[in-house]
Every structure is written in structure tokens, then in C-alpha cells.
Amino acid sequence: MAENKTELQPIPGLPHVKAPSAPQVKTRILTAESVAEIQKKMVQYPVRKSAVLPSLTVAYRQVGYLNAEIYAELSAITEIPAKQLAEAATFYTLFPKKPRGKYLIMVCDNISCALCGADNLLRYLEEKLGIKVGETTQDNLFTLQIAECLAGCSSAPMMQVNHDYHENLTRAKVDALIEGWRKDG
Amino acid sequence: MAEHKLLLKYTDDPKHKHVDGYVAHGGYTAWRKVLSSMTPDQVITEVKASGLRGRGGAGFPTGLKWSFVPKDSPKPRYLVCNADESEPGTCKDRVLLECDPHSVIEGMAIGAFAIGSHLAFNYIRGEFDFPIAVFEKAVEEAYAAGHLGKNIYGSGYDLDVVTQTGGGAYICGEETALLQSLAGNRGMSQMKPPFPAVEGLYGCPTIVNNVETLAVVPHLINNGGEWYTMFGTEKSKGTKLFSLSGHINRPGNYEVEMGTTLRYLIEELGGGIPDGRKIKAIIPGGASCPFMTPDQLDTPLDYESIAEAGSMLGSGACIVLDERTDIVWTTYKLIKFFKHESCGKCTPCREGTKWLTQLVERILNGEGEESDIDKIDNICHNILGRTICPLGDAAAMPVISAVQRFRQDFVDRIKAKNVLPMEQFPFN
């Protein structure tokens, strides 16, 4: 839900947040759509700082990673100090801090997936893509990483690629997926 | 006692995730009933009478938790749904978010009303792109149909529901860390007291409830709290979702009455172990719970019986390990997760999980010494009870049970002095 339908209750002792009067923010990296999405989200909260995670999320979804320049742009939009945005961003693993391949492959290797062959899935992907865990292919198409439990335990082994879950994986399934992504480029 | 579908009754029906489908199945009648004829105290009384206990892992009585919100506080109150499901083995909340989001919204609404909250958050883990999209769509539908927003059903009650997405941190499933994260900070847990019910989000009274817990609530209002006590055991009421994973023929989410045996879950519902293999161990409630052994298969699945058997019901994530499984390897898989997820605030957890990982890794590499086993046990006992939040305990408990119940596996592995590869199970 973008905007609250009812008035936010003020909190005694804290400044009351009002909707920003559509400030004209100039951004180089973030698109007008991203800026608008963040502005919509930030007025949902009685305390502005709650917009930290939502704005980081919008930015990383658009750009694929976060860096100092992006924190600065987010800060201009949300009026949250850039260092507070960076402080939070560096705590959470969801936000890559440097560019990665077009397809970020995250393989869960926790216990439930490991019992169903996740470690050999990793080796299979390494072999297929010609990279090790943590690396990106030379054509910048694929980055391979290990993820901690993604709650796909009953459909193991599984992986998340960008925003999609792929579950109950087999070699044949992985082959078809990779082939499809290579074709799309 | 056996399978009983209360929460999973309609999850196979694709229409049920939309407001019309949900209403056709009797959805939002509880919310209407609450707003038209009940007081917050009456709602809390029903929930207390049901004996419902928190389904996130701790098992704290839900009605009692709600009653801790101070009635005379001049501050706004908040209800937060904890959908930061990330304990290895656990994938039950995801099903509810994806297939029955309106029951979560209705539960949140009733919970919010019970504590006098006009703003409720659903904190969903950031990796859940699909569940987030389904839930946000459901919230939109609920507003459009008048179940949320201003002056709901003409009752004068206002309620907003906001979806907040996490950043990929297990620690944020712990309520104080979750509230820090929701406030825009690093997700680090805080000392209790003050408890969130008194001083939570933005320093205001806040209740944090698990997805499954909230999804039960509409049933309690529709049928009365007393009705819920028909299901389950004397102290563990109702039904519970179990995520079955690992070496099992039919992995998946199952809903059974509390007190159903572990054997029924694994053999009847899960179809037993592939290729007729024997069970080596069972982790009954998620990666933070001590191991159980096959001789304990007749243990009833309720908070008390599982505790008596030396483990915990936790979130209901039942992980089955067959006879091929090396327990030292399993221990490594468990502890490396907690090492990665420790927020680093408390030294025993931050350093202890790192040391434990290094020790177990050393044994796996064939470089372990027999004294390492006692070192592992010693480190665990120095983490246990010495951290602000339960993550430290969660890391230590399964490891303690591994070296206690499977000590010989550690001894054998150390004596073997060879490298045990990480790739233990085939991927075909």
C-alpha cells in the first residue's frame, strides 16, 4: 500500500511527520519512478527514519547495488543523513555493495537444502558457469553466491535468482534455466 | 490426533488469496463481529480462553501478551506481524502469506483493535519478493473492499496496514531487533525489559506476533476461544503447522493437532524416508533445536512433550536426517548459519559462534583433536544464557545436543583424520 488512508497519530515528544511537499530532487542515478516510489513510502511512517530500509530496497532494485553516491541521492530525497543509510545498508546482506552480474544466483546451502544436495548444486553451477562462488562471469551475466536459509526448505534444493525462487532443482532444470538466461543475454 | 486443516484449509484454492475468494469462505466475518459487537477486552478474553501460544518459536500465550499493553499510555500503539521467517527448516509462514494473505490481514486487524492500534506493520523478509507482492495486493484489495482504512464498516475505527520489507537478517526475527530494523536502524537486539508491549517501536507500546499466530485469531473470534481448546493437549492447544524437510519422501507443510506424534508426521504425512533408509536424527523445531533420535519417534508434538524429550517445538520445522548423515557435518551446517547471522552485539555469541565454526571445520578437515569435543561443549555453555537475545542460545543448543547424543560420531571423525567433503549428498 502506498499511502496511508488515515491520519498518522502523533507521538508525544517526537516531531510529527507530514507528507513532503514534493521537493524537486535532482538525481543522476535514481530514476523519477524510483524517487516517486520512495516519496510515497516515506510518508507511511510516523518517524521518517523508518524509510531507511524501503528506500534502500527501491534503490537496489533499480540499480542492482548500493554505494556512496546512491546513499547521497537517497539522503536528498528522504532527508535522512547519508551515513545513517550507509550504516543500515552495511548491516543487511540483501543489498549488494558493488556491481554484480545481470543474474545474481543465490544458492541456499543450509541444512535442509544441504541434505538434498545443495553443495553439489553449487559445484554443478561453478562448473557450468566456469566461476567460483563469489565470482562473476566475464560477460557480466552471472554472479554466483551462497545464501543463508531462504525458507524454501520443503522444496530443496533451491536458489533465488534476482527476485525469483527456483525450487526442487535438478540438473535438467538448472540446465534449462541457464540456457534461457544465456539466450536472453 | 492427526492432520487437521484449519489454517491450510483453503491454501490450495487459487481464488482464496483474493478478497472475494476469502470472503466467500467466511473471511472478514470475525473482523466485522469485533468492530460491531466487541470491546478490546472481550477480544483479549477470547484469545486468552483459547490457550493460543505464539507460533514463532517461543510459545508465549498470545492473549496474555496483548494484555501487557498499558491501558493508560498516551502514546500510539503498534501491532507488528513478524514475517521475517528465516530459521533453517522453516517455510510455513510463506505459505500463509502466499496463499491466505487475508487471514493474516484479518488477524492483524483484530490484534490491532485489541491493543488499540491504528497502524499495523507486516515486516516481511526482503527475499520474499513473491509473498510480498501477494500480500501488498491483498492489502490493496482489503482497503478497496472497506476492511481497512478510515471508519471501517462504519464503526468509527481507523486502521492502516503497512508492508515493511527486511534486508536479509535472521536476527530481525527476534522482536527487539525487528523493531530496531523497522525504525530504520541496524537490526540489533535490545535488552528486555522494557518489553516491547510497554516500550517498543518509536518507544511506544508495540505487540509483535508471528504470521501463523495472527492467522489463527479470526477463527477464535468466529468460533469462540473455548472452541479452540477442543484441539490439542492440555497445555498446548489447537493445531500447528509443521514444515517437513530433509530426507523425507513427501516434504511440505502439514497442519496437525498439537499432540500428534512425530511418527505420524514423518511416516504417515511425510511418507517415511526415501529408499527405506533408517532415521539417524530429527531436528523437530528448526535449526536452533536440539537433535532427537529415532527411539523418540512416538513423542507427541506439543511444547511440553518435546521439551521433555530434550528438544524444542520451536517454529515447527521438522528436519529429518537419514542414516547416511554425518553429524559433525550437520553441526557445521547449523553453526555456520548462526555465525553468519549473529549481529555481533554480544561477545559470547559473536566470538563463540566463530570459534565453534572453526573447531567443527577443523574436525571436518581431519585436523581435530579429541580435546576439541570438550572445547566445543565448553564454548557452548559459555554462550548459553549470556546473551541479550536468544540467538546465542539458538546457536549453542543444537551443538550441545550433537556432542552429547552423537559424541561417538565426533570421536570417529577425529580418529579418521581425513577430510570429509562438504558435498555429502548427490544432486541429480
Side-chain angles (χ1 to χ4, degrees), chain B residues 94-217:
Chain B
R94 192 181 144 201
V95 176
L96 295 174
L97 294 171
E98 285 180 3
C99 307
D100 196 4
H102 286 283
S103 73
V104 182
I105 296 171
E106 191 176 6
M108 287 173 72
I110 297 167
F113 176 82
I115 63 165
S117 162
H118 298 284
L119 179 56
F121 294 96
N122 190 3
Y123 186 100
I124 310 182
R125 66 176 297 180
E127 292 88 344
F128 272 3
D129 284 83
F130 181 64
I132 290 165
V134 175
F135 186 81
E136 285 194 319
K137 172 88 186 135
V139 170
E140 219 169 279
E141 289 175 352
Y143 272 105
H147 304 299
L148 296 174
K150 218 172 170 62
N151 188 20
I152 302 164
Y153 310 142
S155 65
Y157 200 82
D158 303 339
L159 178 66
D160 278 312
V161 169
V162 170
T163 309
Q164 182 82 342
T165 59
Y170 169 70
I171 185 76
C172 292
E174 192 279 326
E175 60 179 4
T176 60
L178 186 154
L179 296 176
Q180 285 296 317
S181 179
L182 188 44
N185 302 321
R186 293 165 79 94
M188 290 166 125
S189 34
Q190 307 293 305
M191 277 297 258
K192 295 193 271 195
F195 288 91
V198 180
E199 226 174 273
L201 184 64
Y202 316 133
C204 301
T206 307
I207 289 294
V208 183
N209 285 133
N210 172 258
V211 175
E212 187 186 344
T213 314
L214 289 167
V216 173
V217 169

Side-chain angles (χ1 to χ4, degrees), chain A residues 43-71:
Chain A
V43 295
Q44 296 176 301
Y45 309 101
V47 173
R48 175 60 50 84
K49 206 181 169 193
S50 274
V52 165
L53 248 73
S55 30
L56 294 173
T57 304
V58 171
Y60 117 88
R61 280 181 188 215
Q62 185 216 308
V63 187
Y65 62 96
L66 299 174
N67 64 16
E69 197 178 346
I70 296 170
Y71 301 141

Side-chain angles (χ1 to χ4, degrees), chain A residues 101-145:
Chain A
K102 184 176 174 194
Y103 299 97
L104 176 61
I105 304 180
M106 306 279 284
V107 176
C108 168
D109 77 336
N110 283 160
I111 186 63
S112 296
C113 282
L115 291 168
C116 297
D119 295 279
N120 274 313
L121 161 61
L122 274 165
R123 299 294 90 76
Y124 187 67
L125 282 165
E126 285 182 336
E127 207 175 292
K128 214 170 161 58
L129 302 173
I131 50 170
K132 293 277 170 212
V133 168
E135 293 176 352
T136 301
T137 53
Q138 280 200 330
D139 57 6
N140 269 327
L141 209 48
F142 299 104
T143 300
L144 180 61
Q145 280 181 3

